[in-house]
Amino acid sequence: MRAESAGVVRRILCVFPRYTSSFGTFEYSYPLTDGVQAFMPPQGLLLIAAYLPENWPVRFIDENIRPATAEDFEWAEAVFVSGMHIQRHQMNDICRRAHAFDLPVAIGGPSVSACPDYYPSFDYLHVGELGDATDELIALLARDPSRPSRQVVLKTADRLDMTCFPLPAYELAELKRYFLGSIQYSSGCPYQCEFCDIPGLYGRNPRLKTPQQITAELDKLLECGIRGSVYFVDDNFIGNRKAALDLLPHLVEWQKKTGFILRFSCEATLNIAKRPEILAGMREAFFCTVFCGIETPDPVALKAMHKDHNMMVPIMEGIRTINSYGMEVVSGIILGLDTDKPETGAHLLEFIEASQIPLLTINLLQALPKTPLWDRLARENRLIEDEGLESNVVFRQPYDEVVDTWRKCMGVAYEPARVLKRYEYQIQNTAPNQVKRPAQKATRQNIKLGLTMLRNIFWKIGVLGDYKLEFWKFALRRLARGEIEHLIASMMVAHHLIMFARGASRGRQNASNYSMRLREASVPAE
Ligand code: SF4
């Protein structure tokens, strides 16, 4: 479904802001690829681009790939921006540059929906999801493309049913430049973890697309050049378990049709381990990674943050169950919780060793607006506005000790030998449980891609790198066993983790993916 144009034409420039360097954006691994420059195509902005009236020309610029130029701004009649809190400064910067060309600028997406106050200079604030506010914005621009005399705030009261969503405009993005493909089946999560803004922003009753929309999107992603892996960005893939079960047979069929061309990954609560029927379907559909917000191995802390659902299965048993279906677990971890003690860091390192999870995003607690945590800390007078700090929370433990624990945990957990040992474990214990996909076609393009990545890995890590010994021990074992695919896939992630954690342990990286502390952005915009 698309919006109506009211008979006029407007040229819209959609600009996605740069990410600040973070643990989850993998930029250290881009030089190992054949030209990747950004993490994932932004779903929200590509959806809006597809929803605009059919006769409105749209340009999409991801500033992680290239900055919007004077020529882009001269071409446009209005600019649309979207992003997360961590991109706040970059979004305000895009607004400033667009205003230099006297263009009206609209902002939508999760950050402005939670915190309209962050964006005083924008002409239009689109608060909430795709819906009546979007139609109103389009109608206003159709009527008058000049900048309004004061800021206009449009709030979605009536959301567009996700079954009416158009296919995101993937054709506008250079999909080959992305580390991962992205796709969304559902929005919202039934749980209410204290720190999380998803239920407040997107509701507790997950809304859904149809399986047919998803397979059509996958077809389009392939046509537009995506390869390797596609990430389901749903807040919780099993937020509606029946819907997950409905979708999986369609994904299996799609994989069979295309020769299991893509690996899938998703985010889900750890209690997925109690659902063998879902895990079996995911295995058949070639899901290889599940991100679980484990947050902490401490049951007292889980209870305090209202994440009791993580205790429905003993954590270690849950991880092993997921591994037994061929899926590696990626874990979110939070430090700085009220329940943390001086020994929390040591316990976390023991947990990492025992679980053999290779990739854990270890963040310091950050209070996000529109969360129960924010409200509680505000009541307790424990919110800080100083953007020079690593978190906006007054911790129970001394600030320096908490930050020091985070740095030490990052430093130890991501020592090259330890990371590669955890990948070795996954290759030997999880990967053999994956569905055996048919041999992939040895096209000239595939061979060239594989050889390019191998050459980059050997040269940049094996020859020029500074953890050569650990690398070659790992690499030679892979080569001896003919595990080239595992070698490439593991090093694409491991190298970023090792390099990012090294900077983090020396105080050069943010201690939270959500931290507003502004560091040098990974790609300069101008
Ligand atoms: S389970 Fe995940 S998405 Fe749902 S409320 Fe908790 S942290 Fe948020």
Side-chain angles (χ1 to χ4, degrees):
M1 178 174 172
R2 304 190 77 128
E4 302 295 325
S5 70
V8 294
V9 175
R10 301 280 178 242
R11 292 181 303 278
I12 306 295
L13 178 65
C14 295
V15 187
F16 188 67
R18 287 164 299 139
Y19 281 112
T20 301
S21 175
S22 104
F23 198 63
T25 48
F26 293 95
E27 69 269 11
Y28 283 104
S29 292
Y30 300 166
L32 304 179
T33 66
D34 67 336
V36 165
Q37 288 176 282
F39 183 47
M40 280 197 290
Q43 282 286 316
L45 213 44
L46 292 173
L47 175 65
I48 292 287
Y51 184 71
L52 288 169
E54 203 159 4
N55 58 338
W56 288 23
V58 184
R59 259 189 212 183
F60 167 76
I61 309 278
D62 183 338
E63 293 214 316
N64 294 288
I65 296 175
R66 76 159 176 94
T69 61
E71 195 273 319
D72 292 318
F73 288 117
E74 274 158 11
W75 170 86
E77 291 177 277
V79 177
F80 285 12
V81 179
S82 171
M84 300 187 286
H85 293 321
I86 196 169
Q87 295 160 299
R88 170 182 167 187
H89 295 288
Q90 290 91 320
M91 287 191 276
N92 280 318
D93 181 56
I94 294 167
C95 181
R96 182 190 57 75
R97 285 185 278 145
H99 281 170
F101 291 83
D102 204 25
L103 291 169
V105 195
I107 180 169
S111 180
V112 69
S113 296
C115 282
D117 303 352
Y118 284 176
Y119 303 99
S121 311
F122 281 79
D123 303 290
Y124 295 102
L125 303 190
H126 180 293
V127 175
E129 293 178 75
L130 185 64
D132 50 356
T134 325
D135 292 333
E136 216 179 323
L137 173 64
I138 291 167
L140 285 170
L141 288 171
R143 267 205 300 280
D144 182 1
S146 57
R147 288 185 60 194
S149 54
R150 66 166 69 129
Q151 186 174 71
V152 179
V153 181
L154 305 162
K155 289 189 187 166
T156 296
D158 187 12
R159 295 183 294 198
L160 185 69
D161 193 316
M162 284 179 81
T163 57
C164 300
F165 277 18
L167 300 185
Y170 295 124
E171 69 280 7
L172 299 179
E174 284 181 87
L175 291 190
K176 284 195 177 132
R177 298 272 164 261
Y178 288 92
F179 197 69
L180 287 177
S182 60
I183 196 164
Q184 182 171 21
Y185 177 48
S186 69
S187 171
C189 175
Y191 298 110
Q192 283 184 298
C193 304
E194 192 193 27
F195 57 85
C196 180
D197 59 356
I198 297 295
L201 283 174
Y202 304 115
R204 295 186 60 199
N205 191 6
R207 299 158 62 232
L208 300 161
K209 293 180 185 166
T210 63
Q212 289 73 19
Q213 280 172 287
I214 293 300
T215 48
E217 277 192 41
L218 288 169
D219 286 339
K220 188 168 180 184
L221 278 165
L222 263 194
E223 265 168 40
C224 295
I226 206 69
R227 6 164 242 198
S229 298
V230 166
Y231 197 99
F232 280 80
V233 298
D234 306 35
D235 310 308
N236 181 0
F237 189 70
I238 57 162
N240 179 330
R241 291 191 288 272
K242 182 180 171 307
L245 275 172
D246 288 346
L247 173 66
L248 287 167
H250 294 267
L251 293 182
V252 174
E253 274 314 299
W254 188 88
Q255 289 282 36
K256 286 184 179 158
K257 185 182 86 183
T258 59
F260 287 77
I261 196 156
L262 293 174
R263 291 167 186 272
F264 294 136
S265 47
C266 69
E267 298 182 13
T269 35
L270 190 59
N271 54 6
I272 194 173
K274 278 189 64 144
R275 300 287 162 185
E277 70 286 11
I278 296 182
L279 292 171
M282 291 171 75
R283 176 182 178 275
E284 288 301 303
F286 205 36
F287 276 79
C288 300
T289 311
V290 183
F291 181 104
C292 294
I294 291 176
E295 322 303 359
T296 166
D298 176 4
V300 177
L302 286 172
K303 204 159 184 48
M305 66 171 74
H306 306 137
K307 200 146 192 175
D308 309 46
H309 50 275
N310 265 10
M311 295 188 286
M312 287 167 77
V313 185
I315 290 179
M316 216 54 81
E317 190 185 312
I319 295 165
R320 290 291 166 260
T321 301
I322 296 170
N323 291 161
S324 74
Y325 286 88
M327 288 177 275
E328 186 187 309
V329 173
V330 171
S331 168
I333 295 287
I334 305 175
L335 286 174
L337 298 165
D338 283 5
T339 42
D340 280 7
K341 305 198 174 51
E343 57 275 16
T344 295
H347 287 164
L348 173 59
L349 291 172
E350 282 164 21
F351 167 73
I352 296 173
E353 183 65 27
S355 68
Q356 291 295 316
I357 295 177
L359 166 50
L360 306 97
T361 58
I362 309 171
N363 289 310
L364 283 191
L365 183 68
Q366 181 83 9
L368 298 176
K370 293 232 161 88
T371 59
L373 175 69
W374 175 281
D375 296 340
R376 175 168 69 82
L377 294 179
R379 279 195 308 275
E380 295 172 5
N381 212 12
R382 291 174 56 204
L383 289 175
I384 315 172
E385 286 202 8
D386 181 351
E387 290 190 4
L389 292 175
E390 296 284 359
S391 166
N392 62 350
V393 175
V394 178
F395 301 123
R396 292 259 189 243
Q397 303 280 317
Y399 173 84
D400 288 341
E401 277 176 32
V402 175
V403 174
D404 197 46
T405 300
W406 177 76
R407 289 196 180 131
K408 278 195 188 126
C409 286
M410 291 293 280
V412 175
Y414 292 108
E415 281 168 10
R418 286 179 200 264
V419 182
L420 295 176
K421 185 171 153 241
R422 301 204 293 274
Y423 273 107
E424 182 80 47
Y425 176 92
Q426 297 299 328
I427 290 168
Q428 288 186 21
N429 295 280
T430 301
N433 306 325
Q434 287 170 354
V435 70
K436 301 282 168 279
R437 65 169 169 171
Q440 298 298 289
K441 273 192 207 134
T443 60
R444 184 195 278 230
Q445 211 183 9
N446 284 347
I447 294 169
K448 188 166 163 248
L449 176 66
L451 288 176
T452 305
M453 293 201 282
L454 270 183
R455 180 202 62 199
N456 291 342
I457 288 170
F458 289 148
W459 178 246
K460 291 178 198 256
I461 304 175
V463 177
L464 303 178
D466 57 6
Y467 60 95
K468 292 195 232 343
L469 188 64
E470 294 87 351
F471 167 75
W472 282 113
K473 264 196 213 162
F474 179 78
L476 289 174
R477 230 172 286 141
R478 303 282 76 74
L479 292 174
R481 295 178 192 186
E483 296 169 344
I484 305 291
E485 212 180 318
H486 287 313
L487 172 61
I488 294 175
S490 308
M491 289 318 301
M492 281 296 146
V493 180
H495 183 63
H496 173 77
L497 304 181
I498 291 166
M499 301 310 287
F500 184 92
R502 205 174 270 177
S505 62
R506 291 171 193 161
R508 291 201 308 265
Q509 299 289 358
N510 283 345
S512 168
N513 274 341
Y514 305 101
S515 169
M516 287 308 302
R517 192 170 169 188
L518 188 61
R519 309 256 185 199
E520 190 186 345
S522 44
V523 182
E526 290 176 299

